[in-house]
Amino acid sequence: MKKLAIAIGWLASLVLVAAFASSSAMKNQMVGVGVELDKTQAMLAFNHMARYREIESDLTKGCYSEALEKAKISKDQELSLLASLFKEHPDTSFSQYVSDRDPALVEQLKTFKTAYGNSWKEPQCSK
């Protein structure tokens, strides 16, 4: 009976150690994912801010057609990214998010074709 109690105690402690190690590893992974997600969001925010500055500068200088074309290019790039994400993951919370805010966009994303292809020439403000 004593050997059985020792074996059960040993197994219970093994299970507890495994559970603790697993929980600790998951927490560490989630912290790492959070840091990488924050970095990615910061880079995206920086790139968008730089683009908005460029368009704002064109508008301030009176280069309206150049600013409009840059805005259209940026919109097309964003739609292209959204369409590829939508096609890869059609039944996710992302599709629900989009349909709640812009139901017509879901259909547009299903058949989206970029107007600019893989390369384009950015207009430059010469004023």
Side-chain angles (χ1 to χ4, degrees), residues 45-61 67 70:
F46 177 83
N47 292 340
H48 287 143
M49 183 269 314
R51 184 61 161 185
Y52 298 145
R53 278 184 179 167
E54 186 179 344
I55 292 171
E56 178 185 38
S57 174
D58 287 354
L59 291 171
T60 302
K61 294 175 186 174
K70 288 176 183 179

Side-chain angles (χ1 to χ4, degrees), residues 2-17:
K2 190 175 180 183
K3 287 183 181 180
L4 181 61
I6 290 173
I8 291 173
W10 180 78
L11 285 173
S13 67
L14 188 61
V15 168
L16 286 173
V17 167

Side-chain angles (χ1 to χ4, degrees), residues 15-35:
V15 168
L16 286 173
V17 167
F20 175 75
S22 175
S23 174
S24 180
M26 286 297 288
K27 285 179 186 176
N28 287 340
Q29 282 184 337
M30 292 310 291
V31 167
V33 167
V35 168

Side-chain angles (χ1 to χ4, degrees), residues 27-113:
K27 285 179 186 176
N28 287 340
Q29 282 184 337
M30 292 310 291
V31 167
V33 167
V35 168
E36 288 303 313
L37 181 60
D38 288 346
K39 286 181 189 177
T40 301
Q41 287 179 321
M43 287 186 280
L44 289 171
F46 177 83
N47 292 340
H48 287 143
M49 183 269 314
R51 184 61 161 185
Y52 298 145
R53 278 184 179 167
E54 186 179 344
I55 292 171
E56 178 185 38
S57 174
D58 287 354
L59 291 171
T60 302
K61 294 175 186 174
C63 296
Y64 303 114
S65 62
E66 291 86 346
L68 177 61
E69 184 62 19
K70 288 176 183 179
K72 286 180 179 180
I73 290 169
S74 294
K75 182 184 79 169
D76 190 79
Q77 289 174 331
E78 297 293 342
L79 284 171
S80 183
L81 175 62
L82 290 174
S84 71
L85 290 172
F86 186 79
K87 288 172 185 171
E88 289 177 28
H89 311 284
D91 297 321
T92 62
S93 60
F94 164 69
S95 58
Q96 186 64 47
Y97 180 88
V98 172
S99 67
D100 288 348
R101 286 154 182 80
D102 189 349
L105 184 58
V106 173
E107 290 305 313
Q108 183 183 357
L109 292 175
K110 288 179 182 178
T111 60
F112 180 78
K113 299 273 191 258

